[in-house]
Amino acid sequence: MLFKIAWRNIWRNKMRSIVVIASVATGLFAGMFMMAFFVGMINQEIDSEVETTLSHIQMHNPAFPDDKAANFTIDSGQQIVAHLRKDVNVKAVSARVITTGMISSSSTATGAEIHGVVAADEQAISSIAQDMREGVYFSEGKHNEIVMGEKLAQKLGVKLHSKVVLTFQSRNGDLTAGSFRVAGIFRSRNSGFDETTVFTRFEDLAPLLETGEGIHEIAVMLRSGTTAAAMAGSLKKEYPALLIQTWTELSPEIALVTGVFDQIMYILIGIILLALMFGIINTMLMAVLERQREFGMLMAIGMNKKRVFSMVVLETILLTCAGIPAGILLTIGAVAYLGRHGIDLSSYSQGLMQYGFSNRVFPQLQTSMFLPITVMTAVTAVLSAIYPALKALQFKPATAIHKI
């Protein structure tokens, strides 16, 4: 009976009830869409870093990451690469020679990290080939070509087919140099990477470094990124002399952002729901004050205060229960559309791309977020109903009945 009375009461003033339902739906939508937006942004950054610089797993000589000296190669590196290619969990493997040095054009020079790669293998593991803005990712049959980022090309003042000189130390510590022509210019989602990294062919860089078939880095892309930790654990047991790291170990700052993201989002959603709570309190309090005669009459004919309190709370809960599905459907619809078309942040792209973020964000909904946010919204509704319900209990039946 109490449920039936409460349901009829909320539709006695349809406009007020619609306002409360709309407030709940909007608050829920704001919280869930904010989470979907940042989930999409963080996941895009992770994908960008994994596909551009990190891969899922990297293997090195333990001494190599400290100073990237040419003599710190991986023992039996080619055999390890061949073995990894046979693993069913491995999608692609790329063997690289890496050094740091100077890149010089006719107008200026700057420092750069130089990657010597096997073009076909690198295309399977990295997105650089898809990020080309000019030229190609190495021409077939040509030698001494170089691929560089757009920002580095602008800094050096070079264009497609321009000549640049790479200078670095060989395996024996001798200063050596090589002349290369720009085959392609790329632009990834990380402008910092674009400004400091260049690519040449393995067979062109290795002779200059005097490393022969030696490998400095083995990059492994798995069929599923979720298996990276388990795969790295197996590889560490199999190759205990090597430094084997997952993408979370290679870039702990991204792992940290991912780890604290949920906590920050729930705090922000709590703030949104707190603002929503005051809106619901205001609306329900107005409803209670307008119904003084009704509450006075109900208490006069024998309805106890417990049932009056429960009725007001139940009305608020029913309104909230109507708003929650509306908010969820609104969020699903918005994320479904924007997940396909993206949100254009090109006005802020220069600042965002410095940190690896794309200038177009595709929101992503996580099913795990529905239950906690729905519960938080329901708790907010119950808390919002307490003060108006207590106010209704303060009415004196004899006084309330004579209220005009």
Side-chain angles (χ1 to χ4, degrees), residues 19-33 272-273 276 323-324 326-328 330-331:
V19 168
V20 175
I21 292 171
S23 298
V24 173
T26 303
L28 188 61
F29 167 76
M32 293 187 69
F33 185 81
I272 293 173
L273 294 179
L276 174 64
I324 288 175
I328 291 175
L330 186 62
T331 306

Side-chain angles (χ1 to χ4, degrees), residues 325-367:
I328 291 175
L329 290 174
L330 186 62
T331 306
I332 292 174
V335 172
Y337 176 80
L338 294 173
R340 290 193 303 270
H341 299 87
I343 301 173
D344 188 6
L345 300 176
S346 56
S347 299
Y348 314 98
S349 61
Q350 294 302 315
L352 289 170
M353 288 179 69
Q354 291 180 4
Y355 301 99
F357 292 103
S358 171
N359 59 6
R360 184 173 290 274
V361 176
F362 297 86
Q364 298 176 18
L365 271 178
Q366 292 180 325
T367 54

Side-chain angles (χ1 to χ4, degrees), residues 115-136:
H115 291 223
V117 299
V118 178
D121 293 343
E122 194 69 14
Q123 286 185 61
I125 207 168
S126 169
S127 62
I128 296 299
Q130 287 75 50
D131 293 332
M132 302 302 297
R133 291 295 181 266
E134 297 180 61
V136 295

Side-chain angles (χ1 to χ4, degrees), residues 138-149:
F138 299 113
S139 306
E140 189 173 350
K142 293 186 178 180
H143 296 283
N144 283 26
E145 289 186 326
I146 191 169
V147 174
M148 66 177 65

Side-chain angles (χ1 to χ4, degrees), residues 73-94:
T73 55
I74 298 173
D75 293 335
S76 304
Q78 296 294 346
Q79 289 86 342
I80 294 172
V81 170
H83 175 69
L84 288 170
R85 293 189 197 281
K86 298 176 183 177
D87 194 307
V88 294
N89 296 312
V90 175
K91 180 181 178 182
V93 183
S94 180

Side-chain angles (χ1 to χ4, degrees), residues 102-105 163-167 177-180:
M102 296 293 294
I103 180 168
S104 308
S105 66
K163 181 180 176 182
V164 296
V165 176
L166 298 178
T167 307
S179 178
F180 294 80

